[in-house]
Amino acid sequence: MVGGSTEWSGYLDAIDAALEQGMAAKEVVCSITTGFRVLPSLQNAPGLNPYHASVADVGYGFDAVRGTIARLRGGEVIPLVKEMLVLDLDTLRISEKQLSPNFEMVAQVAGPDTYYLIEQGQHLHRQIAKKINEAIGYGKALFGPEWNVILKRVQKVQAIPRL
């Protein structure tokens, strides 16, 4: 851990706890998106594939941040750990922003038989966003003004398209 600080440990615990709760909501959303694929009225809904992919991106983001925290707790010294945490948390924020537009495309073709799932999905999206923002808030509190400096550096990496 950076400096072996108990302050770091407390913030990492708070980030991890928030993401654990967000991960639970993400798992249910993932089940809903999988369920959409078996409903004849939604199987070919515009936005379904990008929606499912954006849910997966959020899951990968949770795994990335929580994995880094686990590595730090295990005593691993990670060069550029601050940059890694800021990049992962902010990328998670970006992934979460992709959920709603894709979900709304699917929701437009939903019929009365799927309204309950649509409402549950919207509720869970809000929970996911809340937990991600909570984790980012802890990251910002941990790094203070350094957060914005680090964020400006890592945004160049975020701009590189995925292959």
Side-chain angles (χ1 to χ4, degrees), residues 78-85:
I78 303 172
L80 301 174
V81 69
K82 290 180 180 180
E83 288 79 2
M84 202 167 160
L85 285 169

Side-chain angles (χ1 to χ4, degrees), residues 19 55-67 88-89 91-92 95:
L19 294 183
V55 171
D57 279 349
V58 167
Y60 297 140
F62 283 139
D63 290 344
V65 176
R66 297 187 77 212
D88 287 344
L89 285 167
T91 301
L92 187 53
S95 294

